[in-house]
Amino acid sequence: MSFDQEWAQLKTTAAAKQDAARTRLNRVPDDDGGGGGSPNGDLVVSQGDLAGVGDEAFKLYQRLDTDGDHAKQSTTAAGAAMKADFALGAALITLADHWNNQVNSLLQACAHISNHLDYTKNAHAGDEYHIVTSLSALDLNRAFGEGKQG
């Protein structure tokens, strides 16, 4: 089998797998009775999971913020040194600027993930507190209401 045939077969297989995954995600489960999604939901995420992903995003941010500049500094210096005598010098400076833009985009994405997960964790904790206190108040009201009637 030639390289082109193998490549075409790989692309066909990948497209079929992608279609199969899309079909699974975009349909109502068979055991649902046709009414939509599960009333209890099927996504479960613990506070520990959210905190772990947020922490890893923050660590990645810190590491990228520190290490991402190494390539920019040396590439810019090399470009500046060669700019007067070689066309490659200007190209290196352009490359360093492009690298810096990409690093900044990644930094923003990491910060967004970390901040969003911190917000989500805190929002859900607040929701949980509200639900628990509301239910406790309802239980007390029922208990006192039942005591008056009996």
Side-chain angles (χ1 to χ4, degrees):
M1 185 180 290
S2 73
F3 174 78
D4 291 335
Q5 290 171 328
E6 287 182 45
W7 180 250
Q9 184 178 4
L10 283 173
K11 285 173 42 179
T12 302
T13 303
K17 287 181 180 180
Q18 184 179 18
D19 287 343
R22 187 177 298 119
T23 300
R24 280 195 312 270
L25 292 174
N26 293 335
R27 67 193 257 309
V28 175
D30 294 333
D31 61 346
D32 186 30
S38 169
N40 297 328
D42 58 356
L43 177 62
V44 176
V45 179
S46 71
Q47 294 295 333
D49 293 336
L50 292 175
V53 173
D55 288 345
E56 289 303 316
F58 182 70
K59 288 177 190 174
L60 180 60
Y61 176 92
Q62 289 179 315
R63 180 91 190 262
L64 185 60
D65 192 31
T66 301
D67 296 343
D69 277 343
H70 295 311
K72 180 181 186 273
Q73 292 169 358
S74 58
T75 305
T76 301
M82 294 193 296
K83 188 174 181 180
D85 299 320
F86 300 100
L88 179 63
L92 283 174
I93 292 172
T94 300
L95 175 68
D97 289 341
H98 185 69
W99 172 262
N100 189 49
N101 290 338
Q102 295 300 312
V103 167
N104 285 335
S105 294
L106 287 171
L107 286 170
Q108 289 173 2
C110 289
H112 179 74
I113 290 167
S114 178
N115 292 339
H116 179 72
L117 289 173
D118 285 343
Y119 169 80
T120 300
K121 180 176 65 172
N122 293 334
H124 284 286
D127 291 344
E128 288 294 320
Y129 177 78
H130 176 73
I131 290 168
V132 167
T133 55
S134 296
L135 289 177
S136 296
L138 286 173
D139 290 341
L140 284 174
N141 288 339
R142 284 188 198 123
F144 285 121
E146 289 173 8
K148 289 180 182 178
Q149 293 173 1

